[in-house]
Coordinates of all heavy atoms in Angstrom, one line a residue:
M1 N 6.4 -24.9 -5.0 CA 5.2 -25.5 -4.3 C 3.9 -24.7 -4.8 O 3.9 -23.5 -4.7 CB 5.3 -25.4 -2.8 CG 4.2 -26.1 -2.0 SD 4.5 -26.0 -0.2 CE 5.9 -27.0 0.0
T2 N 2.9 -25.5 -5.1 CA 1.6 -24.8 -5.5 C 0.8 -24.6 -4.2 O 1.0 -25.2 -3.2 CB 0.8 -25.8 -6.4 OG1 0.5 -27.0 -5.7 CG2 1.7 -26.1 -7.7
L3 N -0.3 -23.9 -4.4 CA -1.2 -23.7 -3.2 C -1.8 -25.0 -2.8 O -2.0 -25.2 -1.6 CB -2.2 -22.6 -3.6 CG -1.7 -21.1 -3.7 CD1 -2.8 -20.2 -4.2 CD2 -1.3 -20.6 -2.3
P4 N -2.3 -25.8 -3.7 CA -2.9 -27.1 -3.2 C -1.8 -28.0 -2.5 O -2.2 -28.6 -1.5 CB -3.3 -27.8 -4.5 CG -3.6 -26.7 -5.4 CD -2.6 -25.6 -5.1
E5 N -0.6 -27.9 -3.0 CA 0.5 -28.7 -2.3 C 0.7 -28.1 -0.9 O 1.0 -28.8 0.1 CB 1.8 -28.6 -3.1 CG 1.7 -29.5 -4.3 CD 2.8 -29.3 -5.3 OE1 3.6 -28.3 -5.2 OE2 3.0 -30.1 -6.3
L6 N 0.7 -26.7 -0.8 CA 0.9 -26.1 0.5 C -0.2 -26.5 1.5 O 0.1 -26.9 2.6 CB 0.8 -24.6 0.4 CG 0.8 -23.7 1.6 CD1 2.0 -23.9 2.5 CD2 0.5 -22.3 1.4
Q7 N -1.5 -26.5 1.0 CA -2.6 -26.8 1.9 C -2.4 -28.3 2.4 O -2.8 -28.6 3.5 CB -3.9 -26.5 1.3 CG -4.3 -25.0 1.3 CD -5.7 -24.7 1.0 OE1 -6.0 -24.2 -0.1 NE2 -6.6 -25.0 1.9
A8 N -2.1 -29.2 1.4 CA -1.9 -30.6 1.7 C -0.8 -30.8 2.8 O -0.9 -31.6 3.7 CB -1.6 -31.4 0.5
L9 N 0.4 -30.1 2.5 CA 1.5 -30.2 3.5 C 1.1 -29.8 4.9 O 1.4 -30.5 5.9 CB 2.6 -29.4 3.0 CG 3.8 -29.2 3.9 CD1 4.6 -30.5 4.0 CD2 4.8 -28.2 3.4
I10 N 0.4 -28.6 5.0 CA 0.0 -28.1 6.3 C -1.1 -29.1 6.9 O -1.0 -29.3 8.1 CB -0.6 -26.7 6.1 CG1 0.5 -25.7 5.7 CG2 -1.2 -26.2 7.5 CD1 1.7 -25.5 6.7
R11 N -2.0 -29.6 6.1 CA -3.0 -30.6 6.6 C -2.3 -31.8 7.1 O -2.7 -32.4 8.2 CB -3.9 -30.9 5.5 CG -5.1 -31.8 6.0 CD -6.1 -32.1 4.8 NE -6.8 -30.8 4.4 CZ -6.6 -30.3 3.2 NH1 -5.8 -30.8 2.3 NH2 -7.2 -29.1 2.9
E12 N -1.3 -32.3 6.4 CA -0.6 -33.6 6.9 C 0.1 -33.3 8.1 O 0.2 -34.2 9.0 CB 0.3 -34.1 5.7 CG -0.4 -34.7 4.5 CD 0.6 -34.7 3.3 OE1 1.8 -34.6 3.4 OE2 0.0 -34.9 2.2
T13 N 0.7 -32.1 8.2 CA 1.7 -31.8 9.3 C 0.9 -31.5 10.6 O 1.2 -31.9 11.7 CB 2.6 -30.7 9.0 OG1 3.3 -31.0 7.7 CG2 3.7 -30.5 10.1
Y14 N -0.2 -30.7 10.4 CA -0.9 -30.0 11.6 C -2.4 -30.3 11.6 O -3.1 -29.8 12.5 CB -0.7 -28.5 11.6 CG 0.8 -28.1 11.7 CD1 1.5 -27.6 10.6 CD2 1.5 -28.4 12.8 CE1 2.8 -27.2 10.7 CE2 2.9 -28.0 12.9 CZ 3.5 -27.4 11.8 OH 4.8 -27.0 11.9
G15 N -2.9 -31.1 10.7 CA -4.4 -31.1 10.5 C -5.1 -31.6 11.8 O -6.1 -31.0 12.1
A16 N -4.6 -32.6 12.5 CA -5.3 -33.0 13.7 C -5.3 -31.9 14.8 O -6.4 -31.6 15.4 CB -4.6 -34.3 14.3
K17 N -4.1 -31.3 15.0 CA -4.1 -30.2 16.0 C -5.0 -29.0 15.5 O -5.6 -28.4 16.4 CB -2.6 -29.7 16.1 CG -1.7 -30.5 16.9 CD -0.4 -29.8 17.1 CE 0.6 -30.5 17.9 NZ 1.9 -29.8 18.0
D18 N -4.9 -28.7 14.3 CA -5.7 -27.6 13.8 C -7.2 -27.8 14.0 O -7.9 -26.8 14.4 CB -5.4 -27.3 12.3 CG -4.0 -26.9 12.0 OD1 -3.3 -26.4 13.0 OD2 -3.5 -27.0 10.9
A19 N -7.7 -29.0 13.7 CA -9.1 -29.3 13.9 C -9.5 -29.1 15.3 O -10.6 -28.6 15.6 CB -9.4 -30.6 13.4
S20 N -8.7 -29.6 16.3 CA -9.1 -29.5 17.6 C -9.0 -28.1 18.2 O -9.7 -27.7 19.1 CB -8.2 -30.5 18.5 OG -6.9 -30.1 18.5
R21 N -8.1 -27.3 17.6 CA -7.9 -25.9 18.1 C -9.0 -25.0 17.7 O -9.5 -24.1 18.4 CB -6.6 -25.3 17.6 CG -6.3 -23.9 18.1 CD -5.1 -23.2 17.5 NE -4.0 -24.1 17.4 CZ -3.6 -24.7 16.2 NH1 -4.3 -24.4 15.1 NH2 -2.5 -25.5 16.1
G22 N -9.6 -25.2 16.5 CA -10.7 -24.4 15.9 C -10.3 -23.2 15.3 O -9.2 -22.7 15.4
V23 N -11.3 -22.5 14.7 CA -11.1 -21.3 13.9 C -10.6 -20.1 14.8 O -9.7 -19.4 14.5 CB -12.3 -20.9 13.1 CG1 -12.1 -19.6 12.4 CG2 -12.6 -22.0 12.0
E24 N -11.3 -20.0 15.9 CA -11.0 -18.8 16.8 C -9.6 -18.8 17.3 O -8.8 -17.9 17.2 CB -12.0 -18.7 17.9 CG -13.4 -18.2 17.5 CD -14.3 -19.3 16.9 OE1 -13.8 -20.5 16.9 OE2 -15.4 -19.0 16.4
G25 N -9.2 -20.0 17.8 CA -7.9 -20.2 18.4 C -6.8 -20.0 17.3 O -5.7 -19.4 17.4
T26 N -7.1 -20.6 16.1 CA -6.2 -20.5 15.0 C -6.0 -19.1 14.5 O -4.9 -18.6 14.1 CB -6.6 -21.4 13.9 OG1 -6.6 -22.8 14.4 CG2 -5.7 -21.3 12.7
F27 N -7.1 -18.4 14.5 CA -7.1 -17.0 14.0 C -6.2 -16.1 14.9 O -5.5 -15.3 14.4 CB -8.5 -16.4 13.9 CG -8.5 -15.0 13.3 CD1 -8.5 -14.9 11.9 CD2 -8.6 -13.9 14.1 CE1 -8.4 -13.7 11.3 CE2 -8.6 -12.6 13.4 CZ -8.5 -12.5 12.0
M28 N -6.2 -16.4 16.2 CA -5.3 -15.7 17.1 C -3.9 -15.9 16.8 O -3.1 -15.0 16.8 CB -5.7 -16.1 18.6 CG -7.0 -15.6 19.1 SD -7.2 -13.8 19.1 CE -6.3 -13.4 20.5
W29 N -3.5 -17.2 16.5 CA -2.1 -17.5 16.1 C -1.8 -16.8 14.8 O -0.7 -16.3 14.7 CB -2.0 -19.0 16.0 CG -1.8 -19.7 17.3 CD1 -2.7 -20.5 17.9 CD2 -0.6 -19.7 18.1 NE1 -2.2 -20.9 19.1 CE2 -0.9 -20.5 19.2 CE3 0.6 -19.0 18.0 CZ2 0.1 -20.7 20.3 CZ3 1.6 -19.2 19.0 CH2 1.3 -20.0 20.1
F30 N -2.7 -16.8 13.9 CA -2.5 -16.2 12.6 C -2.2 -14.7 12.8 O -1.2 -14.1 12.3 CB -3.7 -16.4 11.7 CG -3.7 -15.5 10.4 CD1 -2.8 -15.8 9.4 CD2 -4.5 -14.5 10.2 CE1 -2.7 -15.1 8.2 CE2 -4.5 -13.7 9.1 CZ -3.6 -14.0 8.1
M31 N -3.0 -14.0 13.6 CA -2.8 -12.6 13.9 C -1.5 -12.3 14.6 O -0.8 -11.3 14.3 CB -4.0 -11.9 14.6 CG -5.3 -12.0 13.7 SD -5.0 -11.2 12.1 CE -4.6 -9.5 12.6
Q32 N -1.1 -13.2 15.5 CA 0.2 -13.0 16.1 C 1.3 -13.0 15.2 O 2.3 -12.2 15.2 CB 0.4 -14.1 17.2 CG 1.8 -14.0 17.9 CD 2.0 -15.0 19.1 OE1 1.0 -15.2 19.8 NE2 3.1 -15.5 19.2
E33 N 1.2 -14.0 14.2 CA 2.3 -14.1 13.2 C 2.3 -12.9 12.2 O 3.3 -12.4 11.8 CB 2.1 -15.4 12.3 CG 2.4 -16.6 13.1 CD 3.8 -16.7 13.7 OE1 4.7 -16.0 13.1 OE2 4.0 -17.5 14.6
V34 N 1.1 -12.3 12.0 CA 1.0 -11.1 11.2 C 1.7 -9.9 11.9 O 2.5 -9.2 11.3 CB -0.5 -10.7 10.9 CG1 -0.6 -9.3 10.3 CG2 -1.1 -11.7 9.9
G35 N 1.6 -9.9 13.2 CA 2.3 -8.9 14.0 C 3.8 -9.1 13.9 O 4.5 -8.1 13.8
E36 N 4.2 -10.3 14.0 CA 5.7 -10.7 13.9 C 6.2 -10.3 12.5 O 7.3 -9.8 12.4 CB 5.9 -12.1 14.2 CG 5.6 -12.4 15.7 CD 5.8 -13.9 16.0 OE1 6.3 -14.7 15.2 OE2 5.4 -14.3 17.1
L37 N 5.3 -10.5 11.5 CA 5.7 -10.0 10.1 C 5.9 -8.5 10.1 O 6.9 -8.0 9.5 CB 4.8 -10.5 9.1 CG 5.0 -10.1 7.7 CD1 6.4 -10.5 7.1 CD2 3.9 -10.6 6.7
A38 N 5.0 -7.8 10.7 CA 5.1 -6.3 10.8 C 6.4 -5.9 11.4 O 7.1 -5.0 10.9 CB 3.9 -5.7 11.5
T39 N 6.8 -6.6 12.5 CA 8.0 -6.2 13.2 C 9.2 -6.6 12.3 O 10.2 -5.7 12.2 CB 8.1 -7.0 14.5 OG1 7.1 -6.7 15.3 CG2 9.5 -6.8 15.2
A40 N 9.2 -7.7 11.6 CA 10.3 -8.1 10.7 C 10.4 -7.1 9.5 O 11.5 -6.8 9.1 CB 10.1 -9.5 10.2
L41 N 9.3 -6.8 9.0 CA 9.3 -5.8 7.8 C 9.9 -4.5 8.3 O 10.6 -3.8 7.5 CB 7.9 -5.5 7.3 CG 7.4 -6.7 6.5 CD1 5.9 -6.5 6.1 CD2 8.1 -6.9 5.2
R42 N 9.7 -4.1 9.5 CA 10.2 -2.8 10.0 C 11.6 -2.9 10.4 O 12.4 -1.9 10.1 CB 9.3 -2.3 11.1 CG 9.7 -0.9 11.7 CD 8.7 -0.3 12.6 NE 7.6 0.3 11.7 CZ 6.4 0.5 12.1 NH1 6.1 0.3 13.4 NH2 5.5 1.1 11.3
N43 N 12.0 -3.9 11.1 CA 13.4 -3.9 11.7 C 14.2 -5.2 11.4 O 15.3 -5.3 11.9 CB 13.2 -3.9 13.3 CG 12.5 -2.7 13.7 OD1 12.8 -1.5 13.2 ND2 11.6 -2.8 14.6
G44 N 13.6 -6.2 10.7 CA 14.2 -7.4 10.6 C 15.2 -7.6 9.5 O 15.2 -6.8 8.6
S45 N 16.0 -8.6 9.7 CA 17.0 -9.0 8.6 C 16.2 -9.6 7.4 O 15.0 -10.0 7.6 CB 18.0 -10.0 9.1 OG 17.3 -11.2 9.5
A46 N 16.9 -9.9 6.3 CA 16.2 -10.5 5.2 C 15.8 -11.9 5.6 O 14.7 -12.4 5.2 CB 17.2 -10.6 4.0
R47 N 16.6 -12.7 6.4 CA 16.2 -14.0 6.9 C 15.0 -13.9 7.8 O 14.1 -14.7 7.6 CB 17.4 -14.6 7.6 CG 17.1 -16.0 8.3 CD 18.3 -16.7 8.8 NE 17.9 -17.8 9.7 CZ 17.4 -18.9 9.3 NH1 17.2 -19.1 8.0 NH2 17.0 -19.9 10.1
E48 N 14.9 -13.0 8.7 CA 13.8 -12.8 9.6 C 12.5 -12.5 8.8 O 11.4 -13.1 9.1 CB 14.0 -11.7 10.6 CG 15.0 -12.2 11.7 CD 15.5 -11.0 12.5 OE1 15.5 -9.9 12.1 OE2 16.0 -11.3 13.6
K49 N 12.6 -11.7 7.8 CA 11.4 -11.4 6.9 C 11.0 -12.7 6.2 O 9.7 -12.9 6.2 CB 11.8 -10.3 5.9 CG 12.0 -8.9 6.5 CD 12.4 -8.0 5.4 CE 13.0 -6.7 6.1 NZ 13.6 -5.8 5.1
T50 N 11.9 -13.4 5.7 CA 11.6 -14.6 5.0 C 10.9 -15.6 5.9 O 9.8 -16.2 5.5 CB 12.8 -15.3 4.4 OG1 13.4 -14.4 3.5 CG2 12.5 -16.6 3.7
L51 N 11.3 -15.8 7.1 CA 10.7 -16.8 8.0 C 9.3 -16.3 8.4 O 8.4 -17.1 8.5 CB 11.6 -16.8 9.3 CG 13.0 -17.6 9.1 CD1 13.8 -17.4 10.3 CD2 12.8 -19.0 8.7
E52 N 9.1 -15.0 8.6 CA 7.8 -14.5 9.0 C 6.8 -14.6 7.9 O 5.7 -14.9 8.1 CB 7.9 -13.1 9.6 CG 8.7 -13.0 10.9 CD 8.2 -13.9 12.0 OE1 7.0 -14.3 12.0 OE2 9.0 -14.2 12.9
F53 N 7.2 -14.4 6.6 CA 6.3 -14.6 5.5 C 5.9 -16.1 5.5 O 4.7 -16.4 5.2 CB 7.0 -14.2 4.2 CG 6.8 -12.7 3.8 CD1 7.8 -11.9 4.0 CD2 5.6 -12.4 3.3 CE1 7.6 -10.5 3.6 CE2 5.4 -11.0 2.9 CZ 6.4 -10.1 3.1
A54 N 6.8 -17.0 5.7 CA 6.5 -18.4 5.7 C 5.5 -18.7 6.8 O 4.5 -19.5 6.6 CB 7.8 -19.2 5.9
D55 N 5.7 -18.1 8.0 CA 4.7 -18.4 9.1 C 3.3 -17.9 8.8 O 2.3 -18.6 9.0 CB 5.3 -17.8 10.4 CG 6.4 -18.5 11.0 OD1 6.6 -19.7 10.7 OD2 7.1 -17.9 11.8
V56 N 3.3 -16.7 8.3 CA 1.9 -16.1 8.0 C 1.2 -16.9 6.9 O 0.1 -17.2 7.0 CB 2.1 -14.6 7.5 CG1 0.8 -14.1 6.9 CG2 2.5 -13.7 8.7
L57 N 2.0 -17.3 5.9 CA 1.4 -18.1 4.8 C 0.9 -19.5 5.4 O -0.1 -20.0 5.0 CB 2.4 -18.3 3.6 CG 1.8 -19.0 2.4 CD1 0.5 -18.2 1.9 CD2 2.9 -19.0 1.3
A58 N 1.7 -20.1 6.2 CA 1.4 -21.4 6.8 C 0.1 -21.3 7.7 O -0.8 -22.1 7.6 CB 2.5 -21.9 7.7
W59 N 0.0 -20.2 8.5 CA -1.2 -20.1 9.3 C -2.4 -19.7 8.4 O -3.5 -20.1 8.8 CB -1.0 -19.1 10.4 CG -0.2 -19.6 11.5 CD1 1.1 -19.4 11.8 CD2 -0.7 -20.5 12.5 NE1 1.5 -20.1 12.9 CE2 0.5 -20.8 13.4 CE3 -1.9 -21.1 12.8 CZ2 0.3 -21.7 14.5 CZ3 -2.1 -22.0 13.9 CH2 -1.0 -22.2 14.7
L60 N -2.2 -19.0 7.3 CA -3.3 -18.7 6.4 C -3.8 -20.0 5.8 O -5.0 -20.2 5.7 CB -2.9 -17.7 5.3 CG -4.0 -17.3 4.4 CD1 -5.1 -16.4 5.1 CD2 -3.4 -16.4 3.2
A61 N -2.9 -20.9 5.4 CA -3.3 -22.2 4.9 C -4.0 -23.0 5.9 O -5.0 -23.7 5.6 CB -2.0 -22.9 4.4
T62 N -3.6 -22.9 7.2 CA -4.3 -23.6 8.2 C -5.7 -23.1 8.3 O -6.7 -24.0 8.4 CB -3.6 -23.5 9.5 OG1 -2.3 -24.1 9.5 CG2 -4.4 -23.9 10.8
L63 N -5.9 -21.8 8.4 CA -7.3 -21.3 8.4 C -8.1 -21.7 7.3 O -9.3 -22.0 7.5 CB -7.2 -19.7 8.5 CG -6.9 -19.1 9.9 CD1 -6.7 -17.6 9.7 CD2 -8.0 -19.3 10.9
A64 N -7.5 -21.7 6.1 CA -8.3 -22.2 4.9 C -8.7 -23.6 5.1 O -9.8 -24.0 4.8 CB -7.5 -22.0 3.7
N65 N -7.7 -24.5 5.6 CA -8.0 -25.9 5.7 C -9.2 -26.1 6.7 O -10.1 -26.9 6.4 CB -6.8 -26.6 6.3 CG -5.7 -26.9 5.2 OD1 -6.0 -26.7 4.0 ND2 -4.5 -27.2 5.6
I66 N -9.1 -25.5 7.9 CA -10.2 -25.8 8.8 C -11.5 -25.0 8.5 O -12.5 -25.3 9.1 CB -9.7 -25.5 10.3 CG1 -9.4 -24.1 10.5 CG2 -8.6 -26.4 10.6 CD1 -9.0 -23.7 12.0
S67 N -11.4 -24.1 7.5 CA -12.6 -23.4 7.1 C -13.2 -24.0 5.8 O -14.2 -23.5 5.3 CB -12.3 -21.9 6.9 OG -11.8 -21.3 8.1
G68 N -12.6 -25.0 5.3 CA -13.0 -25.6 4.0 C -12.9 -24.8 2.8 O -13.7 -24.9 1.8
V69 N -11.8 -24.0 2.8 CA -11.6 -23.1 1.6 C -10.4 -23.6 0.8 O -9.3 -23.9 1.4 CB -11.3 -21.6 2.1 CG1 -10.9 -20.8 0.9 CG2 -12.6 -21.1 2.7
D70 N -10.5 -23.8 -0.5 CA -9.5 -24.1 -1.4 C -8.8 -22.8 -1.9 O -9.4 -22.0 -2.6 CB -10.1 -24.9 -2.5 CG -9.0 -25.4 -3.5 OD1 -8.1 -24.6 -3.9 OD2 -9.1 -26.5 -4.0
L71 N -7.6 -22.5 -1.4 CA -7.0 -21.2 -1.7 C -6.7 -21.1 -3.2 O -6.8 -20.0 -3.7 CB -5.7 -21.1 -1.0 CG -5.8 -20.9 0.5 CD1 -4.4 -20.9 1.2 CD2 -6.4 -19.5 0.8
D72 N -6.4 -22.2 -3.9 CA -6.1 -22.1 -5.3 C -7.4 -21.7 -6.1 O -7.3 -20.7 -6.9 CB -5.7 -23.5 -5.8 CG -5.2 -23.4 -7.3 OD1 -4.2 -22.7 -7.6 OD2 -5.8 -24.1 -8.1
Q73 N -8.5 -22.3 -5.7 CA -9.8 -21.9 -6.4 C -10.2 -20.5 -6.0 O -10.7 -19.8 -6.8 CB -10.9 -22.9 -6.0 CG -10.7 -24.3 -6.6 CD -11.8 -25.2 -6.2 OE1 -12.8 -24.8 -5.5 NE2 -11.8 -26.5 -6.6
A74 N -10.0 -20.1 -4.7 CA -10.4 -18.8 -4.3 C -9.6 -17.7 -5.0 O -10.2 -16.7 -5.4 CB -10.1 -18.7 -2.8
I75 N -8.3 -17.9 -5.1 CA -7.5 -16.8 -5.7 C -7.7 -16.8 -7.2 O -7.8 -15.7 -7.7 CB -6.0 -17.0 -5.3 CG1 -5.2 -15.7 -5.5 CG2 -5.3 -18.1 -6.2 CD1 -5.4 -14.7 -4.4
A76 N -8.0 -17.9 -7.8 CA -8.2 -17.9 -9.3 C -9.6 -17.2 -9.6 O -9.7 -16.4 -10.5 CB -8.2 -19.4 -9.8
A77 N -10.5 -17.5 -8.7 CA -11.9 -17.0 -8.9 C -11.9 -15.5 -8.8 O -12.6 -14.8 -9.5 CB -12.9 -17.7 -8.0
K78 N -11.1 -15.0 -7.7 CA -11.2 -13.6 -7.5 C -10.2 -12.8 -8.3 O -10.5 -11.6 -8.8 CB -11.0 -13.3 -6.0 CG -11.1 -11.8 -5.6 CD -11.6 -11.6 -4.3 CE -12.0 -10.1 -4.1 NZ -12.3 -9.7 -2.7
Y79 N -9.0 -13.3 -8.5 CA -8.0 -12.5 -9.1 C -7.5 -13.0 -10.5 O -6.6 -12.4 -11.2 CB -6.8 -12.3 -8.2 CG -7.1 -11.5 -7.0 CD1 -7.4 -12.1 -5.8 CD2 -7.1 -10.1 -7.1 CE1 -7.8 -11.4 -4.7 CE2 -7.4 -9.4 -5.9 CZ -7.7 -10.0 -4.7 OH -8.1 -9.3 -3.7
G80 N -8.0 -14.2 -10.9 CA -7.5 -14.9 -12.1 C -7.8 -14.1 -13.4 O -7.1 -14.4 -14.4
A81 N -8.7 -13.2 -13.4 CA -9.1 -12.5 -14.6 C -8.8 -11.1 -14.5 O -9.3 -10.2 -15.2 CB -10.6 -12.7 -14.9
G82 N -7.8 -10.7 -13.6 CA -7.3 -9.3 -13.4 C -7.9 -8.8 -12.1 O -8.5 -9.5 -11.3
C83 N -7.8 -7.5 -12.0 CA -8.2 -6.8 -10.8 C -9.7 -7.0 -10.6 O -10.5 -6.8 -11.6 CB -7.9 -5.3 -10.9 SG -8.7 -4.3 -9.7
P84 N -10.2 -7.4 -9.4 CA -11.6 -7.6 -9.3 C -12.4 -6.3 -9.3 O -13.6 -6.2 -9.5 CB -11.8 -8.2 -7.9 CG -10.5 -8.1 -7.2 CD -9.4 -7.8 -8.3
G85 N -11.7 -5.1 -9.1 CA -12.4 -3.8 -9.2 C -12.6 -3.4 -10.6 O -13.7 -2.9 -11.0
C86 N -11.5 -3.4 -11.4 CA -11.6 -2.8 -12.8 C -11.6 -3.9 -13.9 O -11.8 -3.6 -15.1 CB -10.6 -1.8 -13.0 SG -8.9 -2.5 -12.9
G87 N -11.2 -5.1 -13.5 CA -11.1 -6.2 -14.5 C -9.9 -6.2 -15.4 O -9.7 -6.9 -16.3
K88 N -8.9 -5.3 -15.0 CA -7.7 -5.1 -15.9 C -6.5 -5.6 -15.1 O -6.4 -5.7 -13.9 CB -7.5 -3.7 -16.2 CG -8.6 -3.2 -17.2 CD -8.3 -1.7 -17.6 CE -9.2 -1.3 -18.8 NZ -10.6 -1.2 -18.4
S89 N -5.5 -6.0 -15.9 CA -4.1 -6.3 -15.4 C -3.1 -5.7 -16.3 O -3.0 -6.1 -17.4 CB -4.0 -7.8 -15.3 OG -2.7 -8.1 -14.7
P90 N -2.3 -4.7 -15.8 CA -2.3 -4.2 -14.4 C -3.6 -3.4 -14.1 O -4.2 -2.8 -15.0 CB -1.1 -3.3 -14.4 CG -0.8 -2.9 -15.8 CD -1.3 -4.1 -16.6
C91 N -3.8 -3.3 -12.8 CA -5.0 -2.6 -12.3 C -5.1 -1.1 -12.8 O -4.0 -0.5 -12.8 CB -5.0 -2.6 -10.8 SG -6.2 -1.6 -10.0
A92 N -6.3 -0.7 -13.2 CA -6.4 0.7 -13.6 C -7.3 1.5 -12.7 O -7.8 2.5 -13.1 CB -6.9 0.7 -15.1
C93 N -7.6 0.9 -11.6 CA -8.4 1.7 -10.6 C -7.7 2.9 -10.1 O -6.5 3.0 -10.1 CB -8.6 0.8 -9.3 SG -9.6 -0.6 -9.5
A94 N -8.5 4.0 -9.8 CA -7.9 5.2 -9.3 C -7.1 4.9 -8.0 O -7.4 3.9 -7.3 CB -9.0 6.2 -9.0
R95 N -6.0 5.6 -7.7 CA -5.2 5.4 -6.6 C -5.9 5.4 -5.3 O -5.5 4.6 -4.4 CB -4.0 6.4 -6.6 CG -3.0 6.3 -7.6 CD -1.9 7.3 -7.4 NE -1.1 7.0 -6.2 CZ 0.1 6.4 -6.3 NH1 0.6 6.0 -7.5 NH2 0.8 6.2 -5.2
A96 N -7.0 6.2 -5.2 CA -7.7 6.2 -3.9 C -8.6 5.0 -3.7 O -9.0 4.7 -2.5 CB -8.5 7.5 -3.8
E97 N -8.8 4.2 -4.7 CA -9.7 3.0 -4.5 C -8.9 1.9 -4.0 O -7.6 1.8 -4.1 CB -10.2 2.6 -5.9 CG -11.2 3.6 -6.5 CD -11.8 3.2 -7.9 OE1 -12.2 2.1 -8.0 OE2 -11.7 4.0 -8.8
K98 N -9.5 1.0 -3.3 CA -8.8 -0.1 -2.5 C -7.9 -1.0 -3.3 O -6.7 -1.2 -2.8 CB -9.9 -1.0 -1.8 CG -9.3 -2.0 -0.9 CD -10.5 -2.8 -0.3 CE -9.9 -4.0 0.5 NZ -10.9 -4.9 0.8
P99 N -8.2 -1.5 -4.5 CA -7.3 -2.4 -5.2 C -6.0 -1.7 -5.6 O -5.0 -2.2 -5.8 CB -8.1 -2.9 -6.4 CG -9.5 -2.8 -6.0 CD -9.5 -1.5 -5.2
Ligands
ZN101 ZN1 -8.3 -2.3 -10.5

């Protein structure tokens, strides 16, 4: 599945609910799922980790949909030509730098 296909799937499945919930309410759900992913990464089974990654990605797609962001264009623009910090792939930034 591509990123545009993911956003379309989430829009078809949840678009009406997502629009009525709004960005603030949706962000709270997204952060709850990020917390659940942290728990799964620390203590979960392989299946639990897989499910939580799916939930976080789905809620991120929801946030992008209701914010008018195309994830495919966004990731290509920022990371498509290598590290945004140093412009290289693999990244050659110093270890202390963010990327
Ligand atoms: Zn870099």
Side-chain angles (χ1 to χ4, degrees):
M1 182 181 295
T2 65
L3 288 170
E5 288 169 348
L6 168 65
Q7 284 193 254
L9 173 68
I10 295 296
R11 185 178 295 112
E12 289 163 16
T13 309
Y14 300 112
K17 282 185 176 178
D18 292 341
S20 64
R21 185 187 318 101
V23 172
E24 286 81 4
T26 300
F27 189 77
M28 294 296 284
W29 279 107
F30 171 69
M31 291 308 297
Q32 178 174 321
E33 292 298 341
V34 170
E36 291 175 12
L37 175 59
T39 300
L41 286 170
R42 181 164 283 164
N43 302 315
S45 67
R47 175 171 165 73
E48 288 165 336
K49 290 175 194 174
T50 299
L51 292 172
E52 294 305 335
F53 271 103
D55 285 343
V56 168
L57 189 56
W59 281 104
L60 185 66
T62 291
L63 277 173
N65 283 346
I66 63 177
S67 301
V69 170
D70 182 316
L71 287 173
D72 187 60
Q73 289 180 5
I75 202 77
K78 184 149 189 187
Y79 294 97
C83 170
C86 65
K88 295 186 168 63
S89 181
C91 170
C93 294
R95 287 184 71 98
E97 294 180 50
K98 185 179 170 193

